[in-house]
Amino acid sequence: MPPQDDPIPGDLDWQDGQPWSRRFGDVYFSRASGIAETRHVFLDGNALAQRWAALASGGRFVVGETGFGTGLNFLCAWALWEAAAPGDARLHYVSVEAYPLARAELARALGTWPELDRLRVPLEAAWEAFAPGWHRLAFASGRVVLTLVVGDAAAALPRLDASVDAWFLDGFAPARNPEMWSPGVLAQVARLSRPGATFATYTVAGEVRRGLEALGFAVAKRSGFGRKREMLAGTLQAPPARAWRAPWFARPPAHAGERRAIVIGAGPAGA
């Protein structure tokens, strides 16, 4: 499929040089500083620098995100990963996005921060007109893997199998996009979380706080960024009971060391 260079007509606007969604009537990030907001809310809110520095050699960490947006959170996480994590550790970043930006709009939005250009360029080069479904993009020789799930979160998350260590809950504001913060979506966040998984979000909406608490998260208010006085962060302390699953569909235990496969034939299996 050829690269998508133009946004959906009427879906994206620019105000003071920053992207603004006509669909949801909301900004993609803080007008004060999107990059500073990401670092304060999502990176610091999940204590990622400390957790990544403490990873064992060859370790793995999974970030889950609701709302890929401009990709700013992803690039900031990637930059911190390179600075803090062991050189042989792997970051898996899983993000759901119903309305991916066009390549030109993604580049324009991220071009605001020249310090991210080294990472923006490969992301932009890999970006295309993604069809609904799962798309896996590998960067830094496979050290950073982005799984972009294109579709509505309420429909996509129940089909996802993951063990998330930290969540970036970053959909548009609950008042603007209530479906992204619905009880069903939050239940999937809890289902996909490891015991002890953390989350951070810019919103302090009561329905979000109460919904996460009901699912077993210990939730606390923290100092917000910019004009937002408070934000939410927390830890999964009482994971929800796992539904029964046929053992032949269960995830196999993690395998250490080299793995090999032989493909006989060059048809669909070879592809």
Side-chain angles (χ1 to χ4, degrees):
M1 184 176 293
Q4 179 183 353
D5 291 323
D6 296 313
I8 300 172
D11 189 57
L12 194 67
D13 201 354
W14 294 85
Q15 296 184 354
D16 301 322
Q18 296 192 9
W20 185 82
S21 172
R22 290 184 177 177
R23 184 185 301 271
F24 296 105
D26 202 2
V27 294
Y28 277 84
F29 41 71
S30 171
R31 295 185 183 278
S33 173
I35 194 169
E37 179 187 39
T38 289
R39 289 168 175 165
H40 176 82
V41 175
F42 299 113
L43 304 187
D44 295 346
N46 283 290
L48 294 185
Q50 300 90 324
R51 294 167 73 183
W52 290 350
L55 279 176
S57 177
R60 186 186 72 161
F61 196 96
V62 181
V63 170
E65 180 183 50
T66 55
F68 188 79
T70 65
L72 176 60
N73 293 343
F74 170 64
L75 293 190
C76 288
W78 180 1
L80 180 61
W81 179 258
E82 288 192 342
D88 59 350
R90 296 186 65 186
L91 173 65
H92 292 262
Y93 194 101
V94 183
S95 185
V96 179
E97 176 58 55
Y99 307 103
L101 295 183
R103 175 186 289 180
E105 300 296 344
L106 186 88
R108 180 178 176 183
L110 294 175
T112 304
W113 299 284
E115 61 266 44
L116 295 176
D117 281 353
R118 181 178 59 85
L119 307 181
R120 175 187 60 80
V121 170
L123 175 63
E124 181 185 343
W127 202 256
E128 58 182 63
F130 294 112
W134 271 249
H135 304 271
R136 177 160 290 188
L137 308 176
F139 303 99
S141 301
R143 189 179 176 213
V144 175
V145 177
L146 167 63
T147 299
L148 181 66
V149 184
V150 177
D152 179 75
L157 289 177
R159 300 173 57 198
L160 186 62
D161 181 19
S163 294
V164 175
D165 296 290
W167 284 96
F168 298 174
L169 303 183
D170 194 28
F172 289 108
R176 306 280 186 177
N177 185 19
E179 291 79 9
M180 182 66 90
W181 306 89
S182 68
V185 168
L186 296 182
Q188 292 302 315
V189 167
R191 179 186 71 83
L192 294 167
S193 298
R194 289 183 189 273
T198 62
F199 81 89
T201 180
Y202 63 87
T203 185
V204 291
E207 62 270 24
V208 174
R209 176 180 55 79
R210 290 187 294 271
L212 290 168
E213 288 175 337
L215 291 165
F217 285 91
V219 181
K221 289 183 179 180
R222 298 185 184 176
S223 175
F225 175 80
R227 299 175 61 183
K228 293 183 177 294
R229 293 189 305 166
E230 295 175 316
M231 56 171 274
L232 295 180
T235 304
L236 183 61
Q237 293 189 336
R242 298 283 181 178
W244 181 86
R245 191 177 191 186
W248 46 88
F249 289 129
R251 182 187 295 116
H255 179 85
E258 184 180 8
R259 305 180 74 177
R260 298 183 179 184
I262 296 175
V263 178
I264 301 175

